[in-house]
């Protein structure tokens, strides 16, 4: 049986008529940028996030960038970031002229290790950016404690973890200002690029609303050097149609993960995902680890099973960050993850037979 890495089929079938209806409403409204659909989605996503404010923007990278800009983080500032995140988190820091200071993850959960934070804090440190990687909430209590002790901002990167929680509180609601992405493959995905910022701070929200729209609150009056980073009406309408079903889709992801856990248990050289005490996981990705990663990926590919690597090169070893003069070995946990992790097929509505086919192929591989 062929199994792709990702299929939108069950999701799209479930919401086809609602989404098409929402799109024709926008089409007929003759108002396509910053109108009622964006306003409505912002209110709904703020409520979902248990924050008072949500600002829709063009994508997740802009959400991170505008969040840091609104906090006035700039050249000369240090920002703590995971050594093993998607490069977007680092890029946002670079865009405001600040310096990314990598901190290694807990090798069991892959999320930033709160016990390593204090050693990375300097007099220049202004903020910590936890990334709820692969869909698992970071250990937010310990992170918030360190931030409060050192008077640092917290900016969550919630791109992979809409609906996850730590000790009952939803991700994207802990930090001073938080960013998420609705890239199509994310747990809540648009039909193109989209993102949002969430916060409980009305003044920060106002700044971000101004920054996303040319630095302007009143048309043709520009207060600051702003951006064009608006959420489209069409994407907002699609997201409003999908949001009510997000937690049902999350349950389906958890069912798929539980099946993998069951079918893949007991393989010696295969580490399955682990969830920290107090955290929940929304399985944006189901990531396993093995010392035979490249061989396994090749074997699965030959069987028609799609996999991906999140991520093959940690940011500190990317060409783009060569100017910072990091060396191989500087962040060895991130480097080992990059050579050993493999993301298995995962989507809401993935059938048990498909999970079994992937699991059986993996078992066959490890018997050889
Ligand atoms: C997807 C992602 C982003 C960026 O989102 P875009 O909408 O693609 O710009 C940022 N951080 C993480 C962890 C992501 O997975």
């Amino acid at each position: 049986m062929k199994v792709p890495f990702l299929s939108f089929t069950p999701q799209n079938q479930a919401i086809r008529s609602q989404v098409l209806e929402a799109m024709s409403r926008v089409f007929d409204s003759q108002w396509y940028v910053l109108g009622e659909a964006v306003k409505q989605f912002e209110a709904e996503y703020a409520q979902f996030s248990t924050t008072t404010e949500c600002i829709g923007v063009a994508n997740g990278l802009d959400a991170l960038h505008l969040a840091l800009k609104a906090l006035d983080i700039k050249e000369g500032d240090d920002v703590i970031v995971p050594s093993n995140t998607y490069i977007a988190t680092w890029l946002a820091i670079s865009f405001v002229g600040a310096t990314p200071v990598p901190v290694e993850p807990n090798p069991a959960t892959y999320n930033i290790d709160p016990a390593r934070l204090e050693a990375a804090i300097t007099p220049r440190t202004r903020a910590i950016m936890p990334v709820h990687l692969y869909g698992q909430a970071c250990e937010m209590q310990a992170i918030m404690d360190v931030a409060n002790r050192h008077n640092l901002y917290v900016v969550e990167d919630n791109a992979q973890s809409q609906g996850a929680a730590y000790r009952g509180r939803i991700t994207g609601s802990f930090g001073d200002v938080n960013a998420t992405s609705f890239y199509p493959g994310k747990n809540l995905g648009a039909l193109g690029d989209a993102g949002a910022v969430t916060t409980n701070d009305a003044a920060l929200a106002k700044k971000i609303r101004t920054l996303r729209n040319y630095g302007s609150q009143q048309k043709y009056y520009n207060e600051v050097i702003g951006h064009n980073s608006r959420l489209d009406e069409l994407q907002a309408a699609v997201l409003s149609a999908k949001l009510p079903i997000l937690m049902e889709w999350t349950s389906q992801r958890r069912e798929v993960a539980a099946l993998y856990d069951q079918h893949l248990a007991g393989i010696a050289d295969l580490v399955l995902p682990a969830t920290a005490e107090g955290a929940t996981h929304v399985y944006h990705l189901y990531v396993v680890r093995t010392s035979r990663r490249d061989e396994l990926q090749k074997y699965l590919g030959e069987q028609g099973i799609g996999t991906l690597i999140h991520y093959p090169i940690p940011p500190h070893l990317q060409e783009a960050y060569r100017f910072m003069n990091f060396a191989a070995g500087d962040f060895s946990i991130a480097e080992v993850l990059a050579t050993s992790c493999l993301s298995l097929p995962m989507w809401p509505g993935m059938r048990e037979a498909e999970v079994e086919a992937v699991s059986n192929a993996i078992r066959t591989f490890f018997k050889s």
Side-chain angles (χ1 to χ4, degrees):
M1 184 194 290
K2 287 197 177 204
V3 184
F5 176 69
L6 171 62
S7 166
F8 290 111
T9 305
Q11 263 183 295
N12 282 3
Q13 277 171 350
I15 50 150
R16 185 183 176 84
S17 60
Q18 292 98 303
V19 166
L20 295 184
E21 211 174 277
M23 289 170 80
S24 32
R25 260 200 315 277
V26 172
F27 180 74
D28 290 333
S29 77
Q30 302 197 22
W31 190 284
Y32 305 120
V33 170
L34 293 187
E36 286 308 311
V38 167
K39 220 176 263 171
Q40 186 187 325
F41 175 69
E42 287 179 340
E44 291 164 353
Y45 195 73
Q47 188 181 26
F48 174 83
S49 304
T50 68
T51 57
T52 54
E53 307 275 353
C54 167
I55 306 97
V57 296
N59 55 64
L61 175 57
D62 281 1
L64 290 162
H65 178 199
L66 297 187
L68 294 179
K69 202 161 176 171
L71 292 171
D72 199 28
I73 289 171
K74 53 185 183 298
E75 202 179 332
D77 295 335
D78 284 351
V79 177
I80 292 176
V81 68
S83 56
N84 65 321
T85 180
Y86 181 53
I87 196 156
T89 330
W90 284 51
L91 292 178
I93 300 167
S94 301
F95 283 172
V96 296
T99 303
V101 176
V103 166
E104 291 266 60
N106 174 334
T109 64
Y110 315 135
N111 274 335
I112 197 162
D113 186 347
R116 293 172 181 267
L117 288 173
E118 270 177 325
I121 294 172
T122 69
R124 293 154 40 122
T125 308
R126 300 278 315 280
I128 304 173
M129 295 182 82
V131 180
H132 309 292
L133 200 68
Y134 305 151
Q136 176 173 183
C138 291
E139 293 171 74
M140 288 311 297
Q141 188 60 56
I143 294 169
M144 297 308 291
D145 287 349
V146 173
N148 290 335
R149 210 152 47 234
H150 295 269
N151 204 16
L152 305 176
Y153 293 123
V154 171
V155 178
E156 292 169 73
D157 181 339
N158 200 32
Q160 302 192 354
S161 48
Q162 292 117 1
Y166 186 74
R167 294 190 184 162
R169 183 165 162 187
I170 199 161
T171 56
S173 73
F174 289 87
D176 295 276
V177 50
N178 308 302
T180 196
S181 163
F182 306 117
Y183 180 79
K186 304 286 158 117
N187 285 30
L188 180 61
L191 302 180
D193 279 310
V197 176
T198 52
T199 179
N200 288 313
D201 184 323
L204 280 177
K206 191 169 160 191
K207 261 192 185 170
I208 293 164
R209 275 182 210 290
T210 308
L211 281 172
R212 77 167 170 189
N213 191 26
Y214 285 106
S216 161
Q217 291 187 71
Q218 191 188 343
K219 208 171 173 72
Y220 307 128
Y221 288 76
N222 302 86
E223 303 155 36
V224 291
I225 308 279
H227 301 247
N228 176 355
S229 181
R230 300 171 299 218
L231 175 62
D232 290 345
E233 286 285 287
L234 263 177
Q235 298 302 348
V238 169
L239 290 165
S240 281
K242 286 185 161 194
L243 182 58
I245 316 162
L246 174 61
M247 291 320 284
E248 189 180 316
W249 284 331
T250 301
S251 309
Q252 293 174 8
R253 288 177 182 274
R254 286 175 173 149
E255 283 165 25
V256 171
L259 286 171
Y260 272 131
D261 287 347
Q262 190 186 317
H263 289 295
L264 294 174
I267 299 173
D269 184 14
L270 192 74
V271 181
L272 303 183
T275 307
E277 198 232 304
T280 70
H281 205 314
V282 295
Y283 295 99
H284 171 58
L285 298 168
Y286 187 91
V287 178
V288 297
R289 278 199 302 126
T290 170
S291 61
R292 297 172 68 192
R293 194 270 312 277
D294 291 344
E295 257 180 283
L296 175 61
Q297 183 176 41
K298 181 164 175 280
Y299 176 81
L300 292 175
E302 287 161 4
Q303 313 299 309
I305 293 169
T307 58
L308 286 175
I309 296 167
H310 298 93
Y311 298 94
I313 303 172
H316 72 280
L317 298 180
Q318 293 283 359
E319 184 68 33
Y321 281 100
R322 209 215 287 258
F323 72 96
M324 289 188 73
N325 294 316
F326 291 116
D330 283 354
F331 297 96
S332 58
I333 300 177
E335 291 165 29
V336 169
L337 289 175
T339 60
S340 60
C341 68
L342 189 66
S343 304
L344 303 183
M346 160 64 77
W347 64 88
M350 185 179 175
R351 287 176 294 127
E352 183 160 7
E354 291 167 320
V355 180
E356 275 172 18
V358 176
S359 306
N360 289 341
I362 293 172
R363 285 203 169 273
T364 306
F365 170 82
F366 279 105
K367 277 189 200 126
S368 65

